[in-house]
Amino acid sequence: MKKQYTSRRATFGTAILCGLIVLFAAFAMYSTANIASLANQMVKHPYMVKSQSAAMRTRLLEMKLHLLPSLLTSQNQDPDMIYRMLEERDRLQDSSLLAIRAHYLGAREDLTALETAMGRVRAARKQAVHDSATLKSPQEILTYVEQRVNPESDALDSILQRIAAMADARMESFRFTTESTRDTMFLGTGLLCALLILLIIFINRNERNKNQAIAYRERLFKLLSNSIDDVFFIYDYSEGRANLEYVSENSLRLFGVSSEELCRNPAALERGLPPQSLSALSALFADGRLDEIAERDLQYSRNNQMLDLRLRVYPIQSEGALWRAIAVFSDLTKMVAQQKALSDALLSAKKANSAKQDFLSRMSHEIRTPMNAIIGMTAIAAKYSDDKTRVADCLGKIEASSKHLLSLINDVLDIAKIDGGKLSFSHAPFNFPNFINTLTSIVYPQTVARQQKFEITISGLIEETLIGDELRLNQMLINLLSNAIKFTPQGGEIRLEITRLQTERSRALLRFVVRDTGIGMSRNFLEHLYTPFEQADSVAQNYGGTGLGLSITKNLVSLMSGSIAVQSTEGAGTIFTLELPFDLPEKATFPHRADLSRLSVLVADDDQVTGEHAMLLLSQMGIQGDWAGSGQEALEKAAKAHDAGRDYAVCFIDWRMPGMDGLETAQRLREKVGKNTPIIIISSYDWSAIQQQALAAGVNAFISKPLFASSLYNSLTAIACQENSACATPQQSGPYDFKGKKILLAEDNLLNQEIALEILQSASLRVDCANNGQEALEMYQRSEEGEYALILMDVQMPRINGYEATRAIRDLPRPEAKKVPILAMTANAFSSDIAAAKEAGMDGHIAKPIDVPVLFRTIAAHLGEENPTSS
């Protein structure tokens, strides 16, 4: 019974409990519905509006805190990044503004004011970012923000506070009565717990979003720091001293030290700083007194390379004290190098301009000097036209001045050709002994006039025909020898040594060494020795000249695949060394027709190079030769041979030897060996002064230095012919006489035509003149076959030029038109002009001003009369 009662009671209790549960559930549902309705009204207006207002104020404050640092570093980052950050925040603000506009139950004027204030804040921020690029200091940026941006932000904040206050007022009107609050207290508690849970969830989610944003910004900052060359250091001053807090990850690229190592050990940076830079850096961070942006230029050594750095330090203040310092290291090495290069280029340009001005001044003087002589001597000659001696003297001086003026013009033209890359070279055979003789005839009179000793020696060169550019070789050696003469005082010595270095069958490498005992050159001047338009000041003042000779020589040597070197000491002379390649002809230099092997020869010369070279030449002819290094040794060898009954067939004796000179040696030889042994004097000089004395001493003949195979061969052949009556004595060349020959001269300049006529008629040539190329062509067409033996053709002429006239003559349907010699006679004297003449069909080239011997030799060669003489 009891169990039944208990069971019923339990069931009743259970039913009551279930009923209560149902009632509670129903009431809870009812109350929840009412609370939900009220909550919905609260959420839609007061709570939503207030929470969004609070969120907007929070973001407004956050942007206010972040804007200033962003503006302070705007010069070191992309402004577009700041704009994007602002736009991101503005999108969030727009979202909150839309929510407020949708649920706000207050006055519409509040919303209008809110939207207007938002627009003004946005405009002020963007303008601040734009203007920050023109602000020079952080103080100016701070002042700008406080005056133009913060007031707008404060106005917006005030409106948000007013809207939030209105929402609070609305929330008061929706509160429950005390009875409803008591009935729904538990439900409110549950709702509160639910709201707390939701709040916690919201906070966690918001925090997670913030952490994600921070991580995103950190990734952007790393990307930025790794993409630029500047390295950022952040120092913490919160403890009153500088503690390194952060180093951007690109430090390894600039300093060669990782950011982790620098953070662990800031002193690692100091290892690459020179003492001066280390002192400047230590002083900058020694205390916390940084109150404005500081800048220092430092140097840093990385892998034995010195870098130029610029350090800028940006202080960040907090409550009037230094809180942080941002140090930015920038690599200026390339910029400094570029600035130095620009500075050097500017200095070089100024020096070049100054040098050219000096050159023009010197050229004005150099050109006016011979021009003054030409004009003055012409006036004097005209005044004393009846005095042949006076006129001849004036003409000689006019000729010398004209040649000097021509050399000046040639130098200027050559340097212009070299600068323009238009210089060309000939590659033709030329006779090297003739070349040396011509060179000697130019140089020797100058050395005699200055009482200097001049000598040329040759070693190892047997060939007498070389293939190359004779004109340019002469130009280079004349430049060097002229300088040697100019800068060597009276009584000094000048020597040209020629040595064959390369022994290939078809090619010869020749070394030309020009030595002098002149004033020498300083080490400083040697550094720009080959620079055109430049001379040492003392040289320009005391010696004159254009300063182009060595520059031209250097360029010619380079273009001819050669080399040039110089050694010089002030007061001790100068040595120039040229090495130039030449091709050799396939045939022998000259034929050895006579058998001279039975001759024995004695050569006496104190110069070992000359003696060894003479022995080499004699051995090539199959001759047994002996060399004596002095007059005394020559006497001893000649006496020994005489006593043995095998006298020398000929004795070559150097004129100038120390101790016993050539004349005394010849006299004593003659006393010892008698009159039958021919004695030939070797001389580098004009022997006319000693000719009579030498002949009286028993000398039979003279031979010039340097010795060549042909000159030795001719001398020895003459000796052999004296013993053999069958040998014919060669006829000496006389003056040129082209009697019976008629030529055509094409020259448009009447003065040049008159000069050429006078010269040509002096050699008995009959001359017809044409005033231009067209007239020359027509005159040749009208001429009888074989009437003109040769044509002299100027190049630059009106109507048709010399090249075109030559081509037209060669194309005429006449057999002799293809063969008649046509010679270019023109002022165009470069190798390229010679090549152009040959290409047009011309047979030769004669440069103006006319060198009369060269003109007659060239005409004689093309007329087939090597030695035309008067009968």
Side-chain angles (χ1 to χ4, degrees):
M1 191 70 183
K2 186 176 181 179
K3 290 181 178 179
Q4 292 178 353
Y5 174 77
T6 303
S7 175
R8 285 195 300 269
R9 188 176 178 181
T11 302
F12 180 76
T14 301
I16 293 174
L17 181 59
C18 290
L20 290 174
I21 291 173
V22 172
L23 290 175
F24 180 80
F27 180 76
M29 293 177 61
Y30 173 78
S31 299
T32 300
N34 290 333
I35 294 173
S37 176
L38 179 59
N40 184 49
Q41 296 182 41
M42 292 180 64
V43 168
K44 285 185 178 180
H45 172 62
Y47 179 78
M48 178 65 74
V49 171
K50 184 175 181 179
S51 63
Q52 292 300 327
S53 297
M56 288 183 69
R57 291 186 65 198
T58 300
R59 285 191 289 268
L60 182 65
L61 179 59
E62 181 183 2
M63 286 307 302
K64 187 175 181 181
L65 293 175
H66 281 80
L67 180 62
L68 181 58
S70 298
L71 293 179
L72 288 174
T73 59
S74 63
Q75 296 179 350
N76 294 320
Q77 58 180 302
D78 188 7
D80 291 336
M81 184 175 292
I82 301 177
Y83 286 131
R84 288 194 294 272
M85 181 182 69
L86 294 176
E87 290 174 356
E88 180 182 358
R89 293 296 182 274
D90 288 337
R91 284 195 297 270
L92 295 175
Q93 295 290 65
D94 289 339
S95 177
S96 297
L97 183 61
L98 288 174
I100 293 173
R101 184 187 296 114
H103 302 97
Y104 185 62
L105 301 178
R108 304 306 297 177
E109 290 80 6
D110 292 339
L111 295 178
T112 302
L114 178 60
E115 292 174 351
T116 302
M118 276 290 295
R120 293 176 64 87
V121 168
R122 291 178 182 177
R125 288 173 181 168
K126 290 183 179 180
Q127 188 64 33
V129 175
H130 178 271
D131 292 343
S132 64
T134 62
L135 299 178
K136 299 180 178 179
S137 67
Q139 188 59 43
E140 291 181 357
I141 295 175
L142 180 61
T143 303
Y144 182 100
V145 171
E146 289 179 350
Q147 293 179 353
R148 301 190 181 185
V149 179
N150 289 349
E152 301 297 337
S153 297
D154 294 342
L156 176 60
D157 185 74
S158 177
I159 295 173
L160 289 171
Q161 289 182 14
R162 186 167 67 250
I163 291 175
M166 179 63 69
D168 283 337
R170 286 288 182 178
M171 287 180 66
E172 291 296 329
S173 64
F174 290 109
R175 294 200 177 272
F176 290 112
T177 59
T178 303
E179 183 178 358
S180 298
T181 301
R182 192 171 48 248
D183 292 339
T184 59
M185 180 177 59
F186 294 106
L187 294 177
T189 301
L191 179 60
L192 179 60
C193 291
L195 290 175
L196 288 175
I197 293 172
L198 291 175
L199 181 61
I200 291 172
I201 293 173
F202 174 79
I203 292 174
N204 288 336
R205 181 178 296 175
N206 187 50
E207 189 67 24
R208 186 168 59 253
N209 291 339
K210 286 184 179 180
N211 291 336
Q212 290 176 350
I214 293 173
Y216 176 71
R217 286 197 295 270
E218 287 182 352
R219 288 196 301 272
L220 290 179
F221 185 76
K222 287 183 179 180
L223 178 63
L224 173 65
S225 64
N226 289 328
S227 300
I228 63 176
D229 294 329
D230 293 349
V231 178
F232 295 88
F233 285 59
I234 298 179
Y235 290 89
D236 181 7
Y237 279 87
S238 60
E239 299 179 1
R241 58 186 180 85
N243 294 314
L244 186 58
E245 185 177 33
Y246 172 82
V247 179
S248 57
E249 295 183 358
N250 59 347
S251 63
L252 183 62
R253 186 167 64 241
L254 181 60
F255 298 111
V257 184
S258 66
S259 58
E260 293 82 1
E261 183 177 353
L262 285 173
C263 288
R264 289 194 308 268
N265 181 22
L269 180 65
E270 300 175 0
R271 291 195 293 264
L273 293 171
Q276 185 176 0
S277 297
L278 179 59
S279 176
L281 185 65
S282 300
L284 187 63
F285 291 101
D287 52 43
R289 292 181 295 179
L290 282 169
D291 55 2
E292 60 182 10
I293 295 177
E295 185 175 293
R296 298 286 188 277
D297 286 336
L298 308 173
Q299 287 188 313
Y300 185 82
S301 177
R302 184 191 66 192
N303 298 330
N304 297 323
Q305 178 187 5
M306 192 62 69
L307 305 179
D308 294 294
L309 306 180
R310 175 161 295 170
L311 168 64
R312 290 188 180 91
V313 180
Y314 301 89
I316 301 176
Q317 304 287 336
S318 177
E319 298 180 357
L322 183 62
W323 176 53
R324 293 285 192 279
I326 301 176
V328 182
F329 289 89
S330 303
D331 186 1
L332 304 182
T333 306
K334 291 184 179 179
M335 186 183 72
V336 171
Q338 290 173 352
Q339 289 177 346
K340 185 178 184 305
L342 290 174
S343 177
D344 291 345
L346 178 61
L347 180 61
S348 177
K350 289 181 178 179
K351 288 181 64 178
N353 185 55
S354 176
K356 288 184 179 181
Q357 289 178 350
D358 292 341
F359 163 75
L360 292 175
S361 176
R362 289 198 301 273
M363 281 300 298
S364 176
H365 170 75
E366 291 292 328
I367 291 176
R368 288 175 185 274
T369 299
M371 283 298 298
N372 181 63
I374 293 170
I375 295 171
M377 288 296 105
T378 303
I380 294 173
K383 183 177 180 181
Y384 297 97
S385 58
D386 296 333
D387 187 346
K388 293 184 177 179
T389 303
R390 191 70 176 270
V391 169
D393 178 66
C394 290
L395 291 177
K397 293 176 180 177
I398 289 173
E399 181 182 10
S401 298
S402 300
K403 289 182 177 179
H404 178 55
L405 181 60
L406 179 62
S407 69
L408 295 176
I409 295 172
N410 283 338
D411 279 350
V412 175
L413 293 177
D414 277 345
I415 202 68
K417 282 274 189 177
I418 291 170
D419 288 343
K422 298 180 180 179
L423 197 66
S424 59
F425 296 87
S426 66
H427 189 71
F430 66 95
N431 185 275
F432 195 65
N434 289 345
F435 168 80
I436 293 297
N437 291 336
T438 303
L439 183 69
T440 303
S441 67
I442 296 173
V443 175
Y444 175 68
Q446 301 179 48
T447 60
V448 171
R450 295 174 65 90
Q451 299 180 20
Q452 297 165 336
K453 182 181 178 182
F454 174 62
E455 188 170 8
I456 300 178
T457 64
I458 295 180
S459 176
L461 180 63
I462 301 173
E463 296 82 6
E464 298 192 2
T465 299
L466 302 178
I467 300 176
D469 196 323
E470 178 183 10
L471 177 65
R472 295 303 179 188
L473 176 61
N474 181 75
Q475 183 178 2
M476 288 184 283
L477 293 180
I478 287 293
N479 278 338
L480 297 179
L481 290 169
S482 297
N483 281 343
I485 295 170
K486 181 190 297 185
F487 302 125
T488 300
Q490 179 178 334
E493 297 183 5
I494 299 165
R495 184 180 178 94
L496 171 60
E497 301 172 356
I498 304 172
T499 307
R500 177 171 178 175
L501 302 178
Q502 194 169 313
T503 58
E504 293 182 15
R505 183 174 180 180
S506 61
R507 193 169 179 81
L509 179 63
L510 300 188
R511 173 183 291 166
F512 301 86
V513 179
V514 178
R515 301 176 185 270
D516 67 62
T517 57
I519 61 174
M521 292 175 282
S522 66
R523 185 185 301 273
N524 182 47
F525 183 66
L526 285 174
E527 294 179 358
H528 54 88
L529 178 64
Y530 302 113
T531 303
F533 310 113
E534 290 198 12
Q535 288 181 320
D537 293 338
S538 59
V539 170
Q541 295 172 4
N542 300 329
Y543 298 94
T546 63
L548 295 177
L550 289 178
S551 175
I552 293 172
T553 300
K554 176 67 167 62
N555 282 279
L556 291 177
V557 170
S558 299
L559 294 172
M560 293 177 69
S561 301
S563 63
I564 184 170
V566 60
Q567 298 176 354
S568 186
T569 305
E570 286 188 278
T574 302
I575 302 174
F576 277 96
T577 302
L578 295 181
E579 292 186 3
L580 296 170
F582 295 90
D583 290 332
L584 299 175
E586 296 181 1
K587 296 182 180 180
T589 305
F590 69 95
H592 294 166
R593 293 181 295 271
D595 182 11
L596 305 176
S597 59
R598 60 186 178 84
L599 299 180
S600 60
V601 176
L602 173 65
V603 178
D605 197 311
D606 62 297
D607 185 79
Q608 184 177 353
V609 174
T610 301
E612 292 177 350
H613 183 63
M615 293 301 101
L616 175 63
L617 296 178
L618 291 172
S619 68
Q620 293 293 317
M621 300 177 195
I623 298 173
Q624 176 63 40
D626 292 327
W627 167 57
S630 65
Q632 183 60 44
E633 186 180 352
L635 285 177
E636 293 173 357
K637 289 191 175 186
K640 184 177 180 181
H642 180 72
D643 294 340
R646 46 181 180 83
D647 287 325
Y648 288 107
V650 63
C651 295
F652 291 93
I653 310 298
D654 187 27
W655 174 17
R656 290 188 175 178
M657 291 187 293
M660 186 185 301
D661 64 14
L663 293 181
E664 183 181 354
T665 303
Q667 289 174 341
R668 296 182 63 177
L669 272 175
R670 198 52 82 204
E671 294 171 358
K672 182 65 179 175
V673 302
K675 298 181 179 180
N676 294 328
T677 300
I679 299 176
I680 300 176
I681 289 293
I682 307 173
S683 175
S684 301
Y685 306 88
D686 182 10
W687 54 73
S688 59
I690 64 163
Q691 185 171 3
Q692 296 303 321
Q693 186 180 0
L695 293 175
V699 173
N700 300 91
F702 297 87
I703 188 171
S704 297
K705 278 187 179 181
L707 297 176
F708 289 98
S710 57
S711 59
L712 274 177
Y713 179 80
N714 292 337
S715 297
L716 294 173
T717 302
I719 297 299
C721 287
Q722 288 179 1
E723 301 176 359
N724 185 355
S725 58
C727 291
T729 303
Q731 185 180 5
Q732 297 296 319
S733 298
Y736 286 95
D737 187 348
F738 300 101
K739 189 174 182 179
K741 302 293 184 180
K742 184 178 181 181
I743 68 173
L744 175 60
L745 170 66
E747 173 62 69
D748 64 305
N749 186 287
L750 295 181
L751 180 59
N752 290 341
Q753 192 179 106
E754 181 181 351
I755 294 171
L757 272 174
E758 185 68 27
I759 294 172
L760 295 169
Q761 290 173 352
S762 69
S764 301
L765 281 166
R766 291 184 296 135
V767 184
D768 286 344
C769 295
N771 296 317
N772 54 63
Q774 182 65 40
E775 189 174 330
L777 174 61
E778 294 171 355
M779 290 178 66
Y780 185 80
Q781 286 176 311
R782 293 195 302 266
S783 68
E784 297 180 1
E785 183 176 350
E787 179 178 351
Y788 293 120
L790 183 140
I791 300 174
L792 293 177
M793 185 76 72
D794 187 24
V795 172
Q796 300 294 338
M797 293 186 294
R799 300 188 67 179
I800 63 173
N801 61 39
Y803 298 142
E804 295 170 347
T806 299
R807 293 189 182 95
I809 290 174
R810 296 300 189 204
D811 292 338
L812 290 175
R814 296 172 55 172
E816 74 276 10
K818 303 289 191 297
K819 300 178 181 179
V820 61
I822 303 178
L823 305 180
M825 192 166 66
T826 173
N828 298 345
F830 292 106
S831 300
S832 58
D833 302 312
I834 298 175
K838 291 183 177 180
E839 183 182 355
M842 296 183 179
D843 300 283
H845 183 281
I846 299 172
K848 294 180 182 178
I850 298 172
D851 187 326
V852 178
V854 172
L855 172 64
F856 286 154
R857 282 202 305 269
T858 307
I859 292 176
H862 285 86
L863 292 181
E865 302 179 8
E866 291 296 337
N867 295 307
T869 59
S870 59
S871 57

